[in-house]
Amino acid sequence: MNAIISASELTSELTGENPPVLLDVRWQLSLAKTAGEPPFDGRAAYEAGHIPGAVYIDLDRELASAPGTRGRHPLPDLAEFGAAMRRSGVSSGTPVVVYDGGQGWAAARAWWLLRWTGHPDVRVLDGGLPTWEGPLERSVPTPAEGDFEPVPGSGLLDADGAAALARSGVLLDARAGERYRGEVEPIDPVGGHIPGAVSAPTNENVGADGRFLPAGELADRFKALGASEGTEVGVYCGSGVSAAHQVLALAVAEIPAALYVGSWSEWSSDPSRPVAVGPDPQ
């Protein structure tokens, strides 16, 4: 099953016999507070216009729990996550399509959580809302209650698992290269990377239009980074959001990968954990 869907394919499916549930997960990693500006408001953007029938999902409140020692976007309480999905009309037997404002990170986080907790049919709108050429609506739908019950699966790493995978397989760091190298760190306590991790910025998985590169090109890219067939692969980022987008890119390339949700925000919060700096993984 494809992990992504084009806008034209979505248009067709919405008029088909089994239309997907649509989730709008507009979100931005905002540093506006430090500049005295209001942070990005995903709900306001949703209410100003969304794909007809889409339900808004709040990443910070429904796809993550409160920040703390487990990172800035730790796993949500699964009972609360399940309730949010059911309120949005998500059922096990109904396909789901998730989109955001175009970056793809937030949509990928929702995609990963639904897949990890057992939903069999979830896709991300490739390129997000900017690719949608149909009408937008401002009315907020009230879908029928869904029946989805989340059950945790495999493909989740904790800090120890990420450290071990960096030695035994391939651990990809999805952040920008300068954060990986420790040259800048705008958010977390210390710059650098998990020893043994390989720099693989998420933005190199997409073209100028925000859509994913073709599957073959993605496969070649990941192979060059060491993620070839038979290799165990994991991904982390700052707080488990852009890394979900990397896991999605790997899925497009048909390479399974695990996600370290706590990511650098959890790793760097413990001064006893080792930190590597510079371009060398070690």
Side-chain angles (χ1 to χ4, degrees):
M1 186 193 73
N2 290 334
I4 57 177
I5 183 172
S6 69
S8 60
E9 291 170 330
L10 177 58
T11 299
S12 176
E13 291 196 13
L14 287 173
T15 58
E17 295 182 357
N18 189 26
V21 171
L22 282 176
L23 303 180
D24 182 314
V25 198
R26 271 178 276 183
W27 171 89
Q28 290 179 12
L29 177 62
S30 177
L31 303 179
K33 290 181 180 179
T34 61
E37 300 173 6
F40 174 78
D41 189 336
R43 182 174 290 279
Y46 166 82
E47 292 176 349
H50 50 269
I51 297 175
V55 177
Y56 178 69
I57 297 295
D58 189 318
L59 184 148
D60 291 315
R61 296 173 182 270
E62 295 170 317
L63 304 183
S65 53
T69 58
R70 294 187 299 132
R72 280 182 280 110
H73 289 106
L75 287 174
D77 177 90
L78 288 189
E80 294 179 7
F81 170 68
M85 293 299 102
R86 291 189 293 276
R87 283 196 305 271
S88 303
V90 175
S91 291
S92 298
T94 304
V96 178
V97 171
V98 191
Y99 72 88
D100 58 24
Q103 188 180 45
W105 295 5
R109 171 76 175 215
W111 167 85
W112 182 85
L113 272 168
L114 281 164
R115 294 290 294 147
W116 177 65
T117 54
H119 198 288
D121 189 351
V122 191
R123 288 163 292 170
V124 169
L125 176 59
D126 192 16
L129 187 60
T131 67
W132 177 255
E133 296 181 351
L136 299 178
E137 70 176 14
R138 300 184 66 177
S139 61
V140 178
T142 51
E145 183 86 0
D147 64 14
F148 179 66
E149 294 286 349
V151 178
S154 58
L156 177 67
L157 294 171
D158 59 12
D160 290 341
L165 185 56
R167 297 188 299 269
S168 64
V170 175
L171 181 65
L172 301 177
D173 185 317
R175 298 172 300 159
E178 58 268 24
R179 291 184 69 190
Y180 170 88
R181 296 187 295 270
E183 297 166 359
V184 298
E185 181 44 65
I187 309 173
D188 294 313
V190 63
H193 57 270
I194 297 173
V198 177
S199 181
T202 292
N203 62 6
E204 295 180 14
N205 295 323
V206 299
D209 60 359
R211 293 179 174 89
F212 280 107
L213 299 176
E217 291 184 28
L218 288 172
D220 289 343
R221 181 193 183 217
F222 292 124
K223 183 177 181 180
L225 293 168
S228 55
E229 185 177 353
T231 304
E232 190 176 0
V233 180
V235 188
Y236 75 97
C237 59
S239 65
V241 179
S242 68
H245 191 265
Q246 187 100 290
V247 174
L248 176 59
L250 285 153
V252 172
E254 299 186 355
I255 301 171
L259 177 65
Y260 173 26
V261 172
S263 284
W264 189 248
S265 57
E266 178 187 42
W267 184 276
S268 62
S269 69
D270 184 346
S272 71
R273 294 193 182 106
V275 171
V277 295
D280 191 305
Q282 301 302 331

